[in-house]
Amino acid sequence: MPASGKHRRPKQHKIARKLAFAGTGGAALALPLISATTAGAAVAQPAAAPAASTLALPAAAPAAQPATAPLTYSVVGGDTLTKIAAEHSVSGGWQALYAANRAAIGSNPSVIRPGLKLTLGGAAKAAAARATALAAKPAAAPAAVKTYANNLDGWIRQSLDIMAQHGIPGSYNGIHRNVMRESSGNPLAINNWDSNAAAGIPSKGLLQVIDPTFRAYHVPGTAMDSYDPVANITAACNYAAARYGSIDNVNGAY
């Protein structure tokens, strides 16, 4: 029980006292009350970054087109085909330029007169293409050299080919028949007993030809030797063609 005459003053909370004190003096300040539970949560959040904007890039400029060479060119003083071809990048060089304009230039590519109109375009390119194609084309293989056996059969066949080139008539059988009668196929055969031998010009070789006759009827492209089998056959056949029409018409001494 409390003592009489004494009143216990209610105990004010520290915060209430502070508020009361702050309110004295006429100007009351409104101080916010921050509870312990919310004090740590009041953290300022940064503003959200604005969404990145998409920039529209200008369209890429089209690639520059190479300048087109003029189709024609008018020659001026001091010009040469080499110079013109180089300055205008003529495919194939001066040779192609000349090939495309040969009718206008003439036979001498070194002489071009001022004022002459030259084609630099399609014709020059076409000429260059033709020159390239010709250069790329493999050269024709040389014709195979025909060979002949070094015997009577080979000598007759070679003689017939030469005779054909010179228009001398005769057949394999006609030559072979006369060779066997005259020399038995011996290219070194010589007659030292007949009238020709007595005159100092004996008959020689496969078809027994005297030297004056051999020289008179010698066929170009064969050896100048009456003992040479091919030369002897072709000369004898040439003589027989002139006198009898063909060696085929000879069936005895001739």
Side-chain angles (χ1 to χ4, degrees):
M1 180 174 193
S4 60
K6 292 183 180 180
H7 298 281
R8 298 174 65 91
R9 298 178 62 182
K11 192 173 181 180
Q12 293 181 343
H13 196 275
K14 290 181 179 180
I15 295 176
R17 287 201 301 270
K18 288 180 180 180
L19 287 174
F21 177 77
T24 61
L29 298 177
L31 298 177
L33 297 177
I34 302 176
S35 65
T37 59
T38 60
V43 178
Q45 297 297 324
S53 59
T54 302
L55 298 178
L57 297 177
Q65 297 298 319
T68 303
L71 296 179
T72 59
Y73 175 79
S74 183
V75 176
V76 298
D79 273 343
T80 64
L81 292 182
T82 301
K83 177 183 176 183
I84 297 170
E87 289 180 350
H88 296 278
S89 302
V90 175
S91 178
W94 73 265
Q95 295 92 337
L97 184 61
Y98 176 56
N101 296 277
R102 183 173 186 135
I105 296 172
S107 61
N108 189 351
S110 300
V111 179
I112 53 175
R113 65 181 185 278
L116 181 65
K117 298 290 186 182
L118 300 180
T119 296
L120 302 180
K125 291 181 179 179
R130 288 193 297 271
T132 301
L134 289 175
K137 185 177 180 180
V145 177
K146 191 173 182 179
T147 58
Y148 304 90
N150 188 27
N151 54 30
L152 180 58
D153 177 74
W155 300 331
I156 294 176
R157 294 186 185 281
Q158 186 174 359
S159 296
L160 285 169
D161 285 344
I162 296 172
M163 289 162 59
Q165 295 173 10
H166 293 272
I168 302 171
S171 69
Y172 185 98
N173 290 335
I175 295 172
H176 188 272
R177 183 183 70 250
N178 282 284
V179 165
M180 297 309 293
R181 186 190 67 252
E182 295 291 335
S183 66
S184 299
N186 177 13
L188 299 180
I190 184 170
N191 185 329
N192 288 317
W193 55 267
D194 65 2
S195 58
N196 288 325
I201 46 173
S203 301
K204 301 176 182 178
L206 290 174
L207 284 172
Q208 291 293 283
V209 183
I210 61 176
D211 285 343
T213 300
F214 175 81
R215 288 191 295 269
Y217 291 93
H218 173 260
V219 177
T222 63
M224 186 58 77
D225 178 2
S226 60
Y227 284 113
D228 181 87
V230 174
N232 186 282
I233 292 173
T234 53
C237 288
N238 195 24
Y239 164 73
R243 184 164 183 179
Y244 304 102
S246 171
I247 191 70
D248 295 344
N249 300 329
V250 177
N251 294 291
Y254 64 110

